[in-house]
């Protein structure tokens, strides 16, 4: 597969960063901010497209409807108008994805560094204590 979406004619794009911070506290704060930002953006977009695709609003009307709303308003719109419980949407959409280096033991007993894709809560301290 070429990775090009036949419908759109180009491959999908994504937002990524490579960062180097001087201490763990700064790294935690940065990742917490990025994950919170992912959640805010996805909640808005989930609600926006539900209003457009299921609610039959124009994109302009959907934007006007969401103007000035907070997260609880968007959750209420999703649930009461479309039966969507935002908490049940896959974590990859609500929390984004994080790629980290981990160690894996090979068959020959050697330790190999591998990349692992995570879609979990990285704001909570339990992530950082493992």
């Amino acid at each position: 597969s070429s990775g090009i979406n036949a419908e759109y004619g180009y491959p999908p794009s994504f937002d990524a960063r490579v960062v180097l911070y001087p201490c763990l506290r700064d790294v935690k704060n940065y990742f917490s901010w990025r994950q919170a930002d992912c959640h805010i953006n996805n909640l808005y977009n989930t609600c926006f497209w539900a209003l457009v695709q299921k609610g039959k609003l124009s994109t302009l009307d959907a934007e006007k409807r969401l103007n000035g709303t907070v997260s609880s308003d968007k959750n209420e719109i999703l649930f009461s108008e479309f039966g969507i419980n935002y908490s049940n949407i896959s974590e990859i959409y609500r929390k984004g994805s994080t790629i980290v280096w981990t160690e894996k033991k090979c068959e020959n007993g050697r330790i190999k560094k591998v990349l692992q894709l995570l879609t979990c809560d990285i704001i909570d301290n339990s992530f950082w204590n493992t």
Side-chain angles (χ1 to χ4, degrees):
S1 159
S2 68
I4 296 177
N5 184 313
E7 184 179 346
Y8 297 107
Y10 55 87
S13 62
F14 61 94
D15 182 16
R17 305 278 194 291
V18 175
V19 295
L20 178 61
Y21 285 111
C23 65
L24 184 58
R25 184 195 74 229
D26 292 342
V27 171
K28 286 180 180 180
N29 288 340
Y30 176 78
F31 277 107
S32 294
W33 169 72
R34 293 293 297 164
Q35 190 165 71
D37 194 45
C38 175
H39 162 72
I40 290 165
N41 291 330
N42 185 64
L43 179 58
Y44 177 90
N45 286 317
T46 300
C47 196
F48 176 87
W49 287 109
L51 288 167
V52 171
Q53 294 173 341
K54 295 178 181 179
K56 306 298 183 202
L57 293 182
S58 69
T59 54
L60 182 60
D61 288 339
E63 185 179 347
K64 286 179 184 176
R65 171 90 186 273
L66 293 174
N67 188 34
T69 60
V70 295
S71 292
S72 59
D73 300 328
K74 293 175 193 75
N75 277 303
E76 182 60 29
I77 290 168
L78 286 171
F79 190 75
S80 64
E81 296 183 30
F82 306 108
I84 298 171
N85 183 337
Y86 185 75
S87 297
N88 293 338
I89 293 175
S90 174
E91 280 190 333
I92 196 167
Y93 302 112
R94 292 183 291 118
K95 299 179 184 298
S97 35
T98 305
I99 301 172
V100 297
W101 285 106
T102 59
E103 293 182 343
K104 178 182 177 184
K105 189 172 186 176
C106 299
E107 289 180 16
N108 63 9
R110 296 181 122 181
I111 302 295
K112 176 177 154 183
K113 292 241 181 210
V114 295
L115 290 173
Q116 182 180 5
L117 175 68
L118 304 174
T119 60
C120 60
D121 184 350
I122 59 173
I123 295 173
D124 189 66
N125 280 331
S126 62
F127 171 82
W128 300 96
N129 296 331
T130 58

